[in-house]
Amino acid sequence: MGLDAHLYSTTPRRRQQLETERQRRKEYKEWVGALYNSEEYKGFKNLSLPECVDYDKLPKEVTNLIAKFMAELKKKAESLGGWASSDCLFHLSVPKEERDPIDKLCYFDRNWELHNFIAENFGDPKNDNLVEIYLDEAAITKILEKFPYPEFRTALSVVKGGGEVFYLAWY
């Protein structure tokens, strides 16, 4: 099985941005659930919205209700700092151009020993695929004891300089 693993550096604000995105998505999802359960839109659960609806076959009052529903979704998404794409999907994340930059420090190909060490000691071994594992100075020092790779010396200098380092792997 393949393993692609990367070590990245970023600023301390990134974690806060990701948490803000998670909170926005949660609030939006709860709000949409309440909207679906409201008296006005209770029949929408059985209606594919919006991309799968054949509007020509629906009565005018239903298409007007769908338009109103979509306008409410868009308004809520925008109130949370999101935006609507052309296909009526709503994005609730910090726009890419406003995110803190991420710099790749290195790439590890199929280094399962390193991956398992990081996941077991600093992450969650049961949830280690596509999860950012942030490494502080103590963690990087511990990794360097077992894996004296120069990339981790660079990571240590980033952390000591006020930046953040995270490990991300997928398989």
Side-chain angles (χ1 to χ4, degrees):
M1 182 184 321
L3 169 71
D4 291 313
H6 299 266
L7 194 63
Y8 295 100
S9 67
T10 187
T11 65
R13 284 185 349 156
R14 178 169 168 77
R15 271 197 268 189
Q16 180 57 45
Q17 289 173 335
L18 293 174
E19 182 55 33
T20 299
E21 289 177 18
R22 280 190 282 277
Q23 290 171 354
R24 287 177 179 173
R25 281 191 217 100
K26 181 181 178 197
E27 181 181 339
Y28 184 74
K29 186 177 179 182
E30 290 170 356
W31 181 86
V32 170
L35 192 63
Y36 268 118
N37 291 321
S38 70
E39 191 63 32
E40 187 171 12
Y41 300 112
K42 66 182 176 187
F44 276 26
K45 282 187 179 181
N46 302 323
L47 187 62
S48 299
L49 284 177
E51 59 276 356
C52 299
V53 175
D54 187 355
Y55 291 100
D56 295 336
K57 294 182 180 178
L58 294 175
K60 183 76 170 159
E61 62 272 2
V62 174
T63 58
N64 288 342
L65 193 58
I66 291 171
K68 182 179 175 191
F69 182 80
M70 296 307 297
E72 287 193 49
L73 292 179
K74 181 179 180 182
K75 184 177 177 183
K76 181 64 174 180
E78 289 172 350
S79 77
L80 292 171
W83 67 97
S85 66
S86 60
D87 59 0
C88 296
L89 297 175
F90 298 97
H91 304 277
L92 298 169
S93 60
V94 177
K96 193 173 187 174
E97 59 274 6
E98 294 177 20
R99 288 184 179 194
D100 283 352
I102 299 173
D103 296 313
K104 187 187 299 186
L105 296 177
C106 64
Y107 167 71
F108 300 100
D109 185 27
R110 296 187 182 109
N111 192 332
W112 283 101
E113 185 181 3
L114 172 65
H115 173 74
N116 291 333
F117 182 82
I118 291 174
E120 289 171 10
N121 290 283
F122 313 109
D124 178 1
K126 294 179 181 144
N127 184 24
D128 62 347
N129 191 19
L130 291 171
V131 175
E132 293 180 2
I133 300 173
Y134 283 82
L135 304 171
D136 61 12
E137 187 174 340
I140 296 170
T141 302
K142 188 172 179 179
I143 294 168
L144 274 167
E145 290 171 3
K146 186 163 175 79
F147 303 93
Y149 301 149
E151 295 87 355
F152 286 105
R153 285 187 196 29
T154 302
L156 191 58
S157 67
V158 167
V159 170
K160 285 182 176 181
E164 288 198 328
V165 169
F166 65 92
Y167 172 86
L168 178 68
W170 57 90
Y171 48 90

